[in-house]
């Protein structure tokens, strides 16, 4: 998989505000439509989890399931004279998805623009050319994953670092497996303390439950979650030198300025949310305008820029530089938009609509009553992290937000942490893990990751304890 097949991965952000709760007076959890809807969603998600083996895009089953579930809901609610309630719930879900779609689209466009300008290729080339040994590369890719994922999202970051590991690892399957596990853990941990690091964190932020600054309270617990398993695994990584040769990668014109514009776009989104309490997507769409105007500038000034470079190359008699001028192409914003990962965006739609339908039928109200009324909220949130390792953290977090439990700030931060880092327990628990199984096929596997489950679980438990100790005053 390529970096451009990603995204945001926040990503990113499938949940602005929670969807409508179950309709008052219409508990359909023990009805034929309720059981049928559960069965359809369960079958669809089984197909999603088998995407790697079936070669079936994950958006297809959830799109079909969402359509069938809402068709049945419409029929039953119309028979009961409650069609307006169902329609309002449907429109609410569509509005929330529209905000998330546009937010993700802008984020993906920026990531694709940076990839097209060869920013990620340059970073890979730098790491390979420095001649680091395997253990140093293990730590370097992990640390970079932890600190890049809060901005570029965990999925994009994991794929970028995996490309480096694959290039220097060669046929060393042991190193590649350990390095990929390290990258998955680091990327998920780094994404947990930033609204832009993972779709689940963005969901919580857009719902207004945790402010942008308050996410930093999770920095130390996230760091603990990464460092403990990384330290133990690093002891099994050799210090031998990889047999690789680096290559020079020249950045295309405007690459660094696009990074600056992306940071400005993030600041704009935060400002809209913090100052005027508008959805962050308004700021993101404004940020897309920054990129569009910059793209216009690059196109209009391209002839002049090429003339200067040609004159400089001819004066220096640099044949290589002259040959590179022929491959220069103008920047096209809309081409970058077209390269967004549409399967991911459509998958999010299916998840939002399916979970919203099950909420309307009353199932999430039942689960919420059990987990957040009968259990201690702390244990309930810890269980959310374990579930996210099996099911995937996006639908799990979406379900929690849809339940709308009455939690303290400390508990909202806890469920954000557990849903983010809990996916690291298994390779199928996060988008980063699933993507790397495809990118490093046969070298990073489900069972290769499973062997290190106790070590990763140690970091998971330590991060929770750290959060409870450091942020106990928030509970």
């Amino acid at each position: 998989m390529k970096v451009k097949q990603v995204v945001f991965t926040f990503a990113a952000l499938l949940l602005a505000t929670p969807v409508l709760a179950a309709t008052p007076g219409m508990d359909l959890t023990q009805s034929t439509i309720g059981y049928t809807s559960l069965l359809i969603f369960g079958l669809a998600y089984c197909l999603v989890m088998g995407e790697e083996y079936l070669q079936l895009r994950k958006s297809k089953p959830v799109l079909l399931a969402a359509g069938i579930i809402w068709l049945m809901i419409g029929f039953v609610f119309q028979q009961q004279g409650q069609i307006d309630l169902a329609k309002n719930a449907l429109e609410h879900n569509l509005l929330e998805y529209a905000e998330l779609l546009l937010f993700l689209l802008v984020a993906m466009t920026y990531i694709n623009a940076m990839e097209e300008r060869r920013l990620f290729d340059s970073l890979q080339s730098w790491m390979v050319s420095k001649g680091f040994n395997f253990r140093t590369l293990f730590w370097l890719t992990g640390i970079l994953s932890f600190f890049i994922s809060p901005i570029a999202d965990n999925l994009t970051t994991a794929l970028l670092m995996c490309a480096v590991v694959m290039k220097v690892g060669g046929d060393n399957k042991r190193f590649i497996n350990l390095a990929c596990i390290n990258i998955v853990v680091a990327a998920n941990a780094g994404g947990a303390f930033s609204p832009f690091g993972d779709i689940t964190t963005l969901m919580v932020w857009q719902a207004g439950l945790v402010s942008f600054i308050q996410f930093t309270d999770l920095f130390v617990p996230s760091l603990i979650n990464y460092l403990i398993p990384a330290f133990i695994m690093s002891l099994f990584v050799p210090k031998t030198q990889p047999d690789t040769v680096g290559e020079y990668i020249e950045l295309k014109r405007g690459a660094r300025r696009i990074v600056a514009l992306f940071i400005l776009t993030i600041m704009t989104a935060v400002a809209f949310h913090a100052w005027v309490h508008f959805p962050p997507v308004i700021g993101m769409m404004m940020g897309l305008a920054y990129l569009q105007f910059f793209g216009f500038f690059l196109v209009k000034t391209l002839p002049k820029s090429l003339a200067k470079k040609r004159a400089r190359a001819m004066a220096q008699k640099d044949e290589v530089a002259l040959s590179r001028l022929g491959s220069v192409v103008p920047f096209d914003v809309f081409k970058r938009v077209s390269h967004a990962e549409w399967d991911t965006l459509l998958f999010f739609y299916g998840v939002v609509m399916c979970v919203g339908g099950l909420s309307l039928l009353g199932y999430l109200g039942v689960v919420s009553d059990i987990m957040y009324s009968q259990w201690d909220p702390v244990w309930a949130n810890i269980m959310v992290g374990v579930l996210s390792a099996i099911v995937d953290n996006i639908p799990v977090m979406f379900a929690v937000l849809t339940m709308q439990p009455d939690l303290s700030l400390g508990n909202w931060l806890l469920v954000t942490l557990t849903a983010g880092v809990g996916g690291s327990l298994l390779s199928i628990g996060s988008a980063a893990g699933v993507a790397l199984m495809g990118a490093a096929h046969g070298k990073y596997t489900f069972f290769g990751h499973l062997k290190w489950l106790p070590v990763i679980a140690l970091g998971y438990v330590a991060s929770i304890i750290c959060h409870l100790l450091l942020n106990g005053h928030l509970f």
Side-chain angles (χ1 to χ4, degrees), residues 26 37 40-41 47 55 73 87-88 98 108 129 131 153 172 202 209 219 227 265 272 276 288 343 349 390 420 435 447:
M26 288 199 68
S37 297
I40 290 172
F41 181 66
L47 293 176
Q55 298 298 308
I73 288 174
K87 184 179 179 182
N88 289 337
M108 289 177 173
S129 64
D153 94 83
N172 193 328
L202 200 48
L209 300 167
F219 175 77
L227 286 178
T265 297
F272 267 91
V276 293
L288 182 61
D343 181 60
Y349 166 83
I390 303 170
F447 291 104

Side-chain angles (χ1 to χ4, degrees), residues 263-432:
I263 295 173
L264 179 61
T265 297
I266 292 174
M267 294 171 62
T268 305
V270 173
F272 267 91
H273 190 67
W275 293 346
V276 293
H277 305 291
F278 283 170
V281 65
I282 306 299
M284 291 297 286
M285 292 302 291
M286 184 175 175
L288 182 61
Y290 303 159
L291 186 61
Q292 287 180 306
F293 273 103
F294 184 62
F296 177 79
F297 167 78
L298 289 179
V299 171
K300 288 298 182 181
T301 57
L302 179 63
K304 185 177 180 180
S305 174
L306 285 175
K308 285 184 178 179
K309 290 181 179 179
R310 183 175 289 107
R312 188 183 306 117
M314 291 180 67
Q316 298 174 353
K317 297 182 180 181
D318 190 342
E319 297 295 333
V320 176
L322 280 171
S323 66
R324 283 200 298 263
L325 292 176
S327 62
V328 174
V329 293
F331 182 76
D332 186 345
V333 173
F334 291 103
K335 190 174 181 180
R336 294 301 101 206
V337 173
S338 69
H339 287 189
E341 183 46 67
W342 287 99
D343 181 60
T344 300
L345 295 174
L346 294 176
F347 168 71
F348 291 163
Y349 166 83
V351 169
V352 167
M353 299 308 291
C354 285
V355 174
L358 294 177
S359 173
L360 192 64
L361 294 172
Y363 284 109
L364 296 191
V366 173
V367 175
S368 178
D369 182 62
I370 295 173
M371 290 185 64
Y372 290 101
S373 296
Q374 300 180 27
W375 296 7
D376 185 292
V378 172
W379 287 107
N381 291 334
I382 292 172
M383 182 55 65
V384 165
V386 176
L387 288 174
S388 69
I390 303 170
V391 178
D392 185 82
N393 56 5
I394 294 171
V396 171
M397 179 57 85
F398 187 79
V400 171
L401 291 175
T402 305
M403 294 174 196
Q404 304 183 53
D406 184 17
L407 300 178
S408 63
L409 174 59
N411 266 312
W412 277 118
L413 286 171
L414 177 61
V415 74
T416 302
L417 174 69
T418 57
V421 303
S424 302
L425 294 171
L426 298 175
S427 63
I428 60 172
S430 66

Side-chain angles (χ1 to χ4, degrees), residues 3 32 69 72 95 118 156 166 178 185 243 245 268 286 300 323 388 415 456 468 472:
V3 173
T32 302
I69 289 172
M72 293 190 299
L95 176 61
R118 308 200 73 181
T156 304
M166 290 294 291
L178 282 170
V185 173
D243 185 19
V245 179
T268 305
M286 184 175 175
K300 288 298 182 181
S323 66
S388 69
V415 74
I456 301 170
L468 294 175

